[in-house]
Amino acid sequence: MNFASSFFLTLIRHSVAGRRQVSILWILPVVIFAGILSGCCILKPGQDPLVVRSEQAMRALYVTTDTFLEWEYKHRAQAAYLKPVADKLRRHVPGVLAVAADALRAYKAGKSPENKATLTAAMGPVNELLAESQAMAVSIKGLQAAIP
């Protein structure tokens, strides 16, 4: 993990844990920026791009989903229409991350073509849920102004 990603994830963890109150309007751009920054980082010599990008996508999915689900839970009465999407993420993200983590461990243990194909296939659902989670996180940015 590069310094910027580490810094932003630490900041988000502290704000989400309630140790420091930070507006969701500030957290969401940081999450999106951290995702873009970590996705555009330069690989160090010897790093496997598939491993690095998989870890980044998995971390981004976890952080973005966690941020969205926390907001949705706190504002469920005012934004009830988001509950179906939130419930879908609650049901699918843990399993998708577990499958991807298992595939990543297998690939790191033995970089065979089969393990590479398995990891690549496991990252498809991660990327799909990440896109959905990021879209929901961006949509609540506009709602924050309307909901006290």
Side-chain angles (χ1 to χ4, degrees), residues 5-47:
S5 298
S6 176
F7 171 77
F8 288 124
L9 289 175
T10 302
L11 180 63
I12 290 166
R13 275 192 212 109
H14 285 278
S15 63
V16 169
R19 293 184 206 131
R20 184 172 167 209
Q21 293 299 319
V22 178
S23 168
I24 194 79
L25 288 174
W26 189 83
I27 291 173
L28 289 176
V30 169
V31 168
I32 293 167
F33 176 73
I36 292 169
L37 185 64
S38 66
C40 299
C41 74
I42 298 172
L43 294 171
K44 295 176 184 164
Q47 285 185 312

Side-chain angles (χ1 to χ4, degrees), residues 1-145:
M1 180 184 311
N2 64 27
F3 171 76
S5 298
S6 176
F7 171 77
F8 288 124
L9 289 175
T10 302
L11 180 63
I12 290 166
R13 275 192 212 109
H14 285 278
S15 63
V16 169
R19 293 184 206 131
R20 184 172 167 209
Q21 293 299 319
V22 178
S23 168
I24 194 79
L25 288 174
W26 189 83
I27 291 173
L28 289 176
V30 169
V31 168
I32 293 167
F33 176 73
I36 292 169
L37 185 64
S38 66
C40 299
C41 74
I42 298 172
L43 294 171
K44 295 176 184 164
Q47 285 185 312
D48 186 336
L50 182 58
V51 170
V52 173
R53 300 303 180 218
S54 297
E55 289 172 343
Q56 290 169 342
M58 291 166 59
R59 194 170 25 255
L61 175 59
Y62 175 81
V63 171
T64 306
T65 301
D66 186 56
T67 302
F68 167 68
L69 292 178
E70 181 178 336
W71 187 91
E72 183 273 336
Y73 184 77
K74 287 180 182 176
H75 299 89
R76 186 167 285 168
Q78 298 94 344
Y81 63 92
L82 292 175
K83 189 175 184 319
V85 175
D87 287 343
K88 176 186 175 189
L89 292 172
R90 283 185 186 96
R91 276 191 316 273
H92 295 291
V93 168
V96 165
L97 286 176
V99 168
D102 289 344
L104 182 59
R105 271 192 293 279
Y107 179 72
K108 285 180 174 180
K111 296 186 179 183
S112 68
E114 295 82 19
N115 287 343
K116 182 176 183 177
T118 301
L119 177 57
T120 302
M123 291 310 298
V126 169
N127 291 323
E128 288 173 21
L129 287 172
L130 177 58
E132 190 168 351
S133 182
Q134 287 174 334
M136 291 298 99
V138 169
S139 74
I140 64 173
K141 182 179 177 186
L143 292 174
Q144 186 66 24

